C-alpha cells in the first residue's frame, strides 16, 4: 500500500488548489522533452495523472471499507451506520469519476455565417478534407470530428438515433445542405476518424462544425445541446465583409449561458487582399478594431492585450491546399497567411488545453477533495471516539476499584449527598431560567417586530390581531426558552441521574437488584413546561393608536405635565391635582396651628399655586381661544407676513405628519406599546416561572432517586465482574485506535 501513498496525498493537493489558467502545479505534471512543443500533451498528462490518482484512491477506499466492516469496529459503537454507508458509497462514486475522466476530451466548436469557411478551417486543421465544403450553404447539421482507433478504411460516422455506422464517403451527401436527405440543424453527427491521421485527434481534441448561424432561429437549442461543454469557440467571419449583427447576437447568447467563454476570431478569405495590397493594412486595422470592440467591450471575455492573440487573418482554403497538395498555385503573400494560421493553431492548442484541464478536471478534483476530506474526518472521528471511549472506560475502571474500597463509607453518605445534589441542580436551574427569561424579555421587542399579520385599526380586527399576538409571543418565548434551556437542563438532569445511578451501583449488593439497576433507563419524554400564558398576562392591554400631532397643544401639554393621557382627561387631571393640593394644604394648616407658626404665609403660597393650576386648566379647556389670542398678538407685534409664514409652516408640518400616519405607523406604535406592556407583565412572573421549572426538575430527580434507592444492596463480587468487562472493552478499543491511526495518516 505504500506505493500508492503519494497518489492519495496528491489527490488532496489537487483538490485543495483549484485548477487555474496559469498551470497545473498541483498535479505536478512535467512535459516530457519529446512532447514539449505540444501544449495538448498537458491535457493528456493531466488526464493520465488524475486517472492514476483515482485508481490508487479507489484501492485506499476498499481498505477503509474493509476496516469499517470489521466486527470489532461495529461492536465498539465508535462509528454510526450512516457513516459506514456513506463511506461505502464512495467506492461507486470513485469508479464513476474514473470512467468520467477517461471519457473527457477537449472540445472546440466552430461558428459563423453560411459559407464563411468553417468546414474548410476544420479540414485545414485536420490536414485532410473530411467535412463537406463548397459554395453556399454546405453544412446541414452539427458534425463532430473525434479520434478513434479505426483505420482509414473503416472510418465512419453515426447519425442520431441510429446505432449502425455509416461509411465516411456518405458524409459528403448526408452532412451537406445540398443533399436531398435532410437532418435537423440541431442534430449532432459523430464522425470517427483515425487518430494517427491527425495530431489533434490523437491528443483527444474534438472539433465540431456547425450550420450557418444565419439559417436557423433556434440558436438557444444549439447552445444548450452542443455548446455548454465546449472549451473553445472559433468564430469564422468573412474578411471581405465585417462582423454582422447575427454573429454578435449569437455569441451574446453564448456569453449569457457560459462564464467567460474562450473565443477566437478568424478573418477568413484574407487571400482576397492579395489583389488589393494597397488597402490591405487599412482593412486589417478596421477588422482588428471592430473585433477587439466586440471581444473586449461587448462580450468582455478578455482585455485588449489578450485580444491580440485571439484575432487572426487567414485563408483556410490556402492552408488546406498547402497541406493536401504538393505544389499548389497560390496568390502572392500566402506565406504570411499560412504563418498566421500556424500562430492561430499554436495559441488555440494552448488555450484549449488549459481551458479543458480547468473545466474537465476541476469538478472531479473538488469531488475528490470532498471524499478525501470526508474519509479523513470520519477516520479522525472514529479515532477520537475510540480514544474518548477508552478514556471513559479507564476512568470507570478506576472508579469501580475505588468504589469497592469505599462502599461501606459511601453507604451512610449516599442519601444526604443526593439531597444536596438535587438542591444544587434546582438552584442552578432556577438561576439559568431567571437569567434566560430576563434576557428573552429584553428582546421581546425584536420578537414583536418579527410578527407579521395583516394590521387594521378597526376594533373588531384589532382584537383578533391582539389575540394572535398573544399566541405568537407565548409560542415564540416558549420555543426560545426551550431552545436555550432544555438541552443544558436535560443534560444537567441526566448527569444527576447518572450520578444517582452510579452511587446506587456502588452500594447495591443483591445480584437481582443490580440487574434491575443496570436495565433502568432514563425517562426520554421529560420536558419542562414554562407556562408563560401571555393571553392572560396581557388581557388588560389597551392600545392608543389615534393620531397625535407632535406640535399640537395636546402633545406639548403631555410633555409639560408628563401625563400621556392628557388629551382626554386634562381637565380632570387639573381638578384632581387641585383637590389633592387642598387636602395637603388643610393638613399643613393643622400643623401650623399646632406649631404656633405663621399660617398666613403658607395660605398665601397655596392660594398662588391653586390660581396657577386653574389658569392652566382654563387655557387647556379653551385652547382655540388662546391660540387665536396668541395669533392676534403675534400679528400685531410681528406683522401678518410672519404670522402667515409661521402658520403655513405649522400647517405643512401637520399635513406631513397626517399623511405619514398610515396603517404601518399605527402598527409600529401598537407594537411598541404592546412590547412595553408585555415586558412589564412578564417581569412579574420571572421568579414564579423559574421556581416552577426548578420544581419540575426536582420532582423528576426525586422520582428517579426514589426508584433507584430500592436497589441499594449489592455485593463486591459484581464489581469485579464489571472490572473484567471494562478490561476487555479497553483492549478492543486499543486495537481499533492503532488501526485507525495507521489509516488516517494515509491522507
Amino acid at each position: 500500500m505504500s506505493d500508492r501513498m503519494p497518489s492519495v496525498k496528491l489527490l488532496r493537493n489537487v483538490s485543495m488548489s483549484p485548477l487555474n489558467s496559469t498551470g497545473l502545479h498541483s498535479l505536478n505534471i512535467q512535459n516530457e522533452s519529446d512532447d514539449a512543443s505540444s501544449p495538448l500533451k498537458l491535457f493528456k498528462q493531466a488526464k493520465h495523472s488524475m486517472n492514476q490518482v483515482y485508481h490508487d484512491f479507489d484501492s485506499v477506499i476498499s481498505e477503509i471499507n474493509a476496516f469499517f466492516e470489521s466486527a470489532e469496529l461495529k461492536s465498539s459503537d465508535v462509528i454510526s451506520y450512516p457513516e459506514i454507508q456513506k463511506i461505502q458509497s464512495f467506492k461507486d462514486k470513485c469508479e464513476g469519476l474514473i470512467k468520467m475522466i477517461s471519457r473527457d476530451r477537449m472540445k472546440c466548436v466552430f461558428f459563423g455565417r453560411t459559407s464563411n469557411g468553417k468546414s474548410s478551417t476544420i479540414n485545414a486543421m485536420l490536414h485532410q478534407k473530411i467535412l463537406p465544403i463548397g459554395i453556399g450553404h454546405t453544412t446541414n447539421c452539427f458534425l463532430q470530428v473525434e479520434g478513434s482507433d479505426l483505420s482509414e478504411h473503416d472510418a465512419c460516422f453515426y447519425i442520431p438515433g441510429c446505432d449502425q455506422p455509416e461509411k465516411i464517403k456518405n458524409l459528403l451527401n448526408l452532412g451537406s445542405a445540398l443533399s436531398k436527405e435532410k437532418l435537423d440543424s440541431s442534430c449532432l453527427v459523430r464522425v470517427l476518424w483515425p487518430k494517427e491521421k491527425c495530431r489533434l485527434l490523437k491528443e483527444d481534441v474534438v472539433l465540431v462544425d456547425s450550420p450557418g448561424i444565419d439559417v436557423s432561429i433556434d440558436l438557444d437549442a444549439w447552445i444548450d445541446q452542443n455548446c455548454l461543454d465546449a472549451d473553445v469557440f472559433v468564430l469564422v467571419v468573412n474578411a471581405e465583409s465585417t462582423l454582422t449583427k447575427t454573429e454578435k447576437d449569437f455569441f451574446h447568447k453564448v456569453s449569457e449561458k457560459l462564464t467567460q467563454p474562450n473565443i477566437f476570431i478568424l478573418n477568413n478569405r484574407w487571400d482576397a487582399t492579395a489583389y488589393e495590397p494597397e488597402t490591405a493594412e487599412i482593412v486589417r486595422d478596421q477588422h482588428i478594431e471592430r473585433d477587439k470592440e466586440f471581444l473586449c467591450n461587448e462580450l468582455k471575455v478578455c482585455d485588449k492585450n489578450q485580444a491580440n492573440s485571439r484575432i487572426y487573418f487567414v485563408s483556410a482554403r490556402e492552408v488546406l491546399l498547402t497541406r493536401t497538395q504538393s505544389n499548389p498555385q497560390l496568390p502572392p503573400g500566402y506565406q504570411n497567411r499560412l504563418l498566421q494560421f500556424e500562430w492561430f493553431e499554436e495559441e488555440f492548442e494552448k488555450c484549449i488545453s488549459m481551458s479543458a484541464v480547468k473545466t474537465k478536471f476541476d469538478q472531479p478534483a473538488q469531488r475528490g477533495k470532498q471524499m478525501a476530506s470526508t474519509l479523513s474526518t470520519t477516520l479522525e472521528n472514529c479515532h477520537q471516539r475510540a480514544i474518548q471511549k477508552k478514556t471513559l472506560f479507564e476512568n470507570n475502571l478506576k472508579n469501580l476499584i475505588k468504589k469497592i474500597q469505599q462502599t461501606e463509607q459511601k453507604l451512610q453518605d449516599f442519601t444526604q449527598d443526593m439531597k444536596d445534589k438535587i438542591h444544587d441542580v434546582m438552584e442552578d436551574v432556577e438561576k439559568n431560567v431567571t437569567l434566560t427569561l430576563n434576557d428573552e424579555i429584553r428582546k421581546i421587542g425584536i420578537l414583536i417586530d418579527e410578527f407579521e399579520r395583516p394590521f387594521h385599526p378597526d376594533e373588531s380586527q384589532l382584537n383578533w390581531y391582539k389575540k394572535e399576538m398573544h399566541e405568537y409571543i407565548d409560542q415564540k418565548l416558549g420555543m426560545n426558552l426551550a431552545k436555550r434551556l432544555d438541552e443544558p437542563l436535560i443534560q444537567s438532569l441526566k448527569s444527576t441521574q447518572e450520578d444517582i445511578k452510579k452511587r446506587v451501583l456502588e452500594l447495591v449488593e443483591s445480584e437481582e437488584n443490580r440487574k434491575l439497576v443496570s436495565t433502568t433507563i432514563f425517562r426520554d419524554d421529560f420536558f419542562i413546561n414554562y407556562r408563560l400564558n401571555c393571553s392572560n398576562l396581557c388581557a388588560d392591554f389597551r392600545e392608543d393608536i389615534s393620531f397625535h400631532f407632535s406640535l399640537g397643544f395636546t402633545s406639548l401639554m403631555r410633555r409639560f405635565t408628563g401625563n400621556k393621557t392628557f388629551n382626554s382627561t386634562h381637565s380632570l387631571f387639573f381638578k384632581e391635582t387641585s383637590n389633592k393640593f387642598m387636602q395637603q394644604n388643610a393638613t399643613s394648616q393643622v400643623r401650623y396651628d399646632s406649631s404656633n407658626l405663621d399660617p398666613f404665609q403658607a395660605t398665601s403660597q397655596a392660594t398662588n399655586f391653586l390660581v396657577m393650576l386653574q389658569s392652566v386648566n382654563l387655557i387647556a379647556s379653551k385652547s382655540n381661544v388662546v391660540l387665536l389670542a396668541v395669533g392676534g398678538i403675534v400679528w400685531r407685534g410681528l406683522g401678518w407676513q410672519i404670522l402667515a409664514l409661521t402658520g403655513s409652516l405649522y400647517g405643512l408640518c401637520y399635513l406631513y405628519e397626517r399623511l405619514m400616519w398610515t396603517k404601518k405607523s399605527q402598527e409600529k406604535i401598537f407594537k411598541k406599546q404592546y412590547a412595553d406592556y408585555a415586558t412589564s407583565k412578564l417581569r412579574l412572573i420571572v421568579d414564579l416561572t423559574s421556581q416552577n421549572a426548578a420544581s419540575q426538575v426536582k420532582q423528576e430527580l426525586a422520582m428517579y432517586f426514589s426508584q433507584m434507592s430500592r436497589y441499594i444492596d449489592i455485593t463486591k463480587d459484581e464489581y469485579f465482574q464489571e472490572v473484567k468487562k471494562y478490561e476487555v472493552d479497553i483492549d478492543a478499543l486499543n486495537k481499533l485506535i492503532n488501526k485507525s491511526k495507521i489509516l488516517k495518516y494515509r491522507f
Side-chain angles (χ1 to χ4, degrees):
M1 194 62 207
S2 61
D3 57 334
R4 294 171 181 159
M5 289 296 300
S7 296
V8 177
K9 294 199 174 189
L10 180 60
L11 176 64
R12 288 181 61 83
N13 293 334
V14 170
S15 50
M16 291 174 66
S17 302
L19 302 177
N20 52 63
S21 60
T22 59
L24 293 177
H25 305 295
S26 58
L27 283 174
N28 195 22
I29 297 172
Q30 299 294 334
N31 291 339
E32 297 179 6
S33 59
D34 57 340
D35 297 321
S37 60
S38 176
L40 298 175
K41 289 294 181 183
L42 183 64
F43 179 81
K44 292 196 70 173
Q45 290 169 350
K47 182 176 179 180
H48 175 76
S49 297
M50 290 291 289
N51 262 316
Q52 184 61 41
V53 166
Y54 274 102
H55 276 100
D56 294 343
F57 188 44
D58 183 62
S59 300
V60 175
I61 293 176
S62 299
E63 186 173 353
I64 293 175
N65 279 333
F67 169 65
F68 286 158
E69 286 292 333
S70 63
E72 299 166 338
L73 184 64
K74 289 183 177 180
S75 62
S76 66
D77 196 27
V78 296
I79 186 170
S80 64
Y81 181 69
E83 287 179 310
I84 295 177
Q85 282 187 315
K86 187 173 184 179
I87 300 304
Q88 288 175 341
S89 68
F90 286 172
K91 179 75 173 175
D92 295 334
K93 291 182 180 179
C94 188
E95 292 175 354
L97 286 173
I98 292 174
K99 293 179 181 178
M100 182 180 71
I101 293 172
S102 300
R103 292 194 301 266
D104 280 335
R105 293 169 296 186
M106 295 175 279
K107 183 176 180 179
C108 175
V109 185
F110 290 75
F111 283 102
R113 289 194 305 155
T114 301
S115 196
N116 275 8
K118 302 182 295 298
S119 302
S120 298
T121 302
I122 295 176
N123 286 336
M125 295 177 71
L126 296 175
H127 292 248
Q128 196 160 358
K129 183 180 178 181
I130 300 174
L131 302 181
I133 57 176
I135 300 175
H137 180 199
T138 305
T139 305
N140 183 45
C141 59
F142 282 86
L143 302 177
Q144 176 174 299
V145 183
E146 55 188 80
S148 71
D149 295 327
L150 300 174
S151 64
E152 185 174 0
H153 178 268
D154 296 327
C156 61
F157 65 91
Y158 290 87
I159 61 176
C162 181
D163 296 333
Q164 295 297 325
E166 297 282 346
K167 290 293 183 181
I168 200 69
K169 63 181 180 180
N170 297 330
L171 180 64
L172 297 177
N173 293 326
L174 187 63
S176 174
L178 303 177
S179 173
K180 294 181 180 180
E181 297 184 43
K182 300 292 184 181
L183 292 176
D184 187 82
S185 62
S186 62
C187 288
L188 179 68
V189 176
R190 295 176 58 236
V191 180
L192 304 184
W193 191 252
K195 291 182 179 179
E196 67 273 6
K197 291 294 183 178
C198 178
R199 184 174 58 85
L200 290 176
L201 302 181
K202 185 178 180 181
E203 301 298 342
D204 287 340
V205 176
V206 173
L207 303 178
V208 181
D209 193 8
S210 65
I213 58 177
D214 52 345
V215 299
S216 175
I217 61 174
D218 198 10
L219 300 181
D220 287 325
W222 285 14
I223 297 172
D224 292 338
Q225 295 177 19
N226 301 306
C227 301
L228 294 183
D229 60 341
D231 301 297
V232 170
F233 293 88
V234 177
L235 172 59
V236 182
V237 300
N238 189 348
E240 297 181 85
S241 61
T242 185
L243 281 174
T244 64
K245 185 177 184 300
T246 302
E247 293 166 328
K248 290 184 177 182
D249 289 344
F250 175 79
F251 276 95
H252 277 295
K253 291 180 178 290
V254 172
S255 185
E256 290 174 0
K257 293 179 179 289
L258 298 176
T259 304
Q260 294 289 321
N262 296 303
I263 302 174
F264 286 84
I265 298 180
L266 291 186
N267 293 279
N268 193 29
R269 297 185 178 177
W270 192 241
D271 52 332
T273 61
Y275 305 103
E276 298 179 6
E278 65 279 0
T279 61
E281 287 302 319
I282 298 176
V283 175
R284 178 188 178 90
D285 292 340
Q286 183 187 60
H287 280 313
I288 290 177
E289 181 181 354
R290 292 180 178 177
D291 292 347
K292 284 185 176 181
E293 174 69 20
F294 176 58
L295 292 176
C296 304
N297 297 336
E298 294 186 31
L299 296 182
K300 298 180 180 179
V301 296
C302 62
D303 56 34
K304 292 191 176 181
N305 290 330
Q306 294 173 331
N308 292 328
S309 60
R310 299 295 179 91
I311 302 170
Y312 297 90
F313 295 83
V314 300
S315 172
R317 184 185 65 84
E318 289 181 346
V319 177
L320 181 59
L321 290 175
T322 303
R323 293 178 176 180
T324 57
Q325 298 180 14
S326 56
N327 292 311
Q329 297 296 322
L330 301 175
Y334 73 91
Q335 295 90 345
N336 291 332
R337 293 187 289 275
L338 291 179
L339 186 60
Q340 278 271 319
F341 196 87
E342 291 175 357
W343 288 346
F344 156 69
E345 289 180 311
E346 181 180 350
E347 191 63 31
F348 165 79
E349 291 179 5
K350 292 178 183 178
C351 181
I352 195 172
S353 179
M354 300 308 302
S355 176
V357 168
K358 180 179 179 181
T359 57
K360 299 298 191 295
F361 297 148
D362 186 57
Q363 183 179 3
Q366 294 301 322
R367 293 175 65 182
K369 173 190 174 181
Q370 295 173 359
M371 288 193 293
S373 177
T374 302
L375 283 172
S376 178
T377 302
T378 304
L379 286 171
E380 179 64 25
N381 291 339
C382 178
H383 183 76
Q384 292 299 325
R385 290 172 193 161
I387 291 177
Q388 292 173 3
K389 199 162 189 177
K390 174 190 171 185
T391 302
L392 177 63
F393 286 174
E394 289 175 344
N395 291 336
N396 289 342
L397 180 59
K398 293 178 182 179
N399 291 335
L400 282 173
I401 296 174
K402 190 175 181 180
K403 287 176 184 178
I404 294 173
Q405 300 172 354
Q406 299 175 350
T407 299
E408 294 298 331
Q409 297 178 3
K410 290 185 178 180
L411 182 58
Q412 298 178 356
D413 302 332
F414 173 66
T415 303
Q416 185 60 42
D417 290 347
M418 288 301 102
K419 289 182 180 180
D420 295 341
K421 179 67 175 178
I422 293 174
H423 183 266
D424 293 341
V425 171
M426 286 183 59
E427 289 185 346
D428 187 56
V429 169
E430 188 170 349
K431 177 183 176 182
N432 289 338
V433 172
T434 299
L435 292 175
T436 305
L437 183 54
N438 280 324
D439 185 52
E440 290 296 328
I441 291 174
R442 284 192 294 270
K443 296 187 292 187
I444 194 171
I446 299 176
L447 286 180
I448 294 176
D449 288 340
E450 294 174 354
F451 178 73
E452 295 183 359
R453 294 290 189 278
F455 179 86
H456 197 280
D458 183 70
E459 183 177 357
S460 60
Q461 298 188 29
L462 196 59
N463 289 333
W464 280 105
Y465 187 84
K466 287 192 287 186
K467 182 180 178 181
E468 292 182 355
M469 178 76 80
H470 296 332
E471 296 174 354
Y472 170 79
I473 295 300
D474 203 359
Q475 179 185 6
K476 280 294 184 179
L477 275 180
M479 290 174 58
N480 290 347
L481 288 175
K483 183 177 180 181
R484 295 180 59 180
L485 290 173
D486 279 5
E487 184 175 353
L489 291 182
I490 295 299
Q491 287 181 354
S492 178
L493 178 66
K494 290 188 176 181
S495 176
T496 305
Q497 292 174 333
E498 185 68 29
D499 289 342
I500 295 174
K501 186 175 182 179
K502 289 181 180 179
R503 292 292 298 273
V504 170
L505 286 173
E506 295 176 10
L507 304 173
V508 169
E509 296 179 357
S510 171
E511 182 178 356
E512 181 180 358
N513 288 339
R514 176 156 181 82
K515 290 181 180 179
L516 293 174
V517 172
S518 301
T519 56
T520 301
I521 59 175
F522 308 134
R523 191 159 69 97
D524 294 333
D525 57 348
F526 173 74
F527 68 94
I528 297 177
N529 188 351
Y530 296 100
R531 302 171 186 170
L532 298 175
N533 201 358
C534 291
S535 298
N536 291 336
L537 282 176
C538 301
D540 296 334
F541 170 67
R542 296 294 181 270
E543 70 284 347
D544 180 13
I545 56 174
S546 57
F547 174 73
H548 298 290
F549 183 39
S550 61
L551 297 178
F553 182 77
T554 301
S555 299
L556 295 176
M557 288 302 295
R558 283 183 177 181
R559 296 191 186 98
F560 175 74
T561 62
N563 183 14
K564 295 184 179 179
T565 59
F566 178 82
N567 185 43
S568 59
T569 60
H570 59 276
S571 298
L572 181 60
F573 167 76
F574 288 112
K575 182 176 180 181
E576 291 177 351
T577 304
S578 301
N579 293 336
K580 290 180 181 179
F581 187 80
M582 290 296 293
Q583 293 175 3
Q584 294 175 359
N585 184 52
T587 304
S588 301
Q589 184 67 31
V590 173
R591 289 202 303 268
Y592 288 131
D593 292 341
S594 60
S595 59
N596 296 322
L597 298 175
D598 184 8
F600 178 77
Q601 183 178 1
T603 304
S604 177
Q605 294 176 353
T607 303
N608 292 337
F609 183 73
L610 287 175
V611 170
M612 182 186 71
L613 288 177
Q614 292 173 358
S615 300
V616 173
N617 186 22
L618 179 62
I619 292 173
S621 61
K622 300 182 179 181
S623 58
N624 293 331
V625 177
V626 172
L627 289 176
L628 289 174
V630 172
I633 293 172
V634 173
W635 178 27
R636 293 180 63 86
L638 301 177
W640 66 271
Q641 296 92 343
I642 296 178
L643 179 61
L645 177 61
T646 304
S648 299
L649 293 176
Y650 188 83
L652 287 175
C653 291
Y654 177 85
L655 180 61
Y656 172 77
E657 291 193 13
R658 189 63 183 177
L659 292 176
M660 294 301 293
W661 186 250
T662 61
K663 289 183 181 180
K664 194 68 177 177
S665 302
Q666 293 175 341
E667 182 181 11
K668 184 177 180 182
I669 293 297
F670 176 88
K671 287 185 175 181
K672 184 179 184 305
Q673 294 174 0
Y674 186 88
D676 294 339
Y677 186 84
T679 298
S680 63
K681 288 294 185 179
L682 287 171
R683 291 193 186 280
L684 298 176
I685 64 167
V686 171
D687 292 338
L688 180 62
T689 304
S690 60
Q691 292 171 6
N692 178 42
S695 298
Q696 295 178 57
V697 174
K698 178 185 178 181
Q699 183 179 1
E700 179 69 15
L701 290 175
M703 291 174 57
Y704 187 78
F705 178 75
S706 177
Q707 179 185 4
M708 299 298 294
S709 296
R710 297 180 296 118
Y711 306 117
I712 306 177
D713 192 16
I714 189 173
T715 63
K716 294 181 181 180
D717 294 338
E718 293 173 342
Y719 285 110
F720 288 114
Q721 294 176 3
E722 196 166 352
V723 167
K724 183 178 180 180
K725 180 179 180 301
Y726 277 122
E727 289 176 346
V728 173
D729 290 341
I730 290 173
D731 183 62
L733 287 172
N734 279 329
K735 294 179 181 178
L736 292 177
I737 290 170
N738 293 334
K739 182 65 176 177
S740 62
K741 185 177 181 180
I742 293 173
L743 287 174
K744 75 173 185 174
Y745 280 121
R746 295 190 177 179
F747 291 90

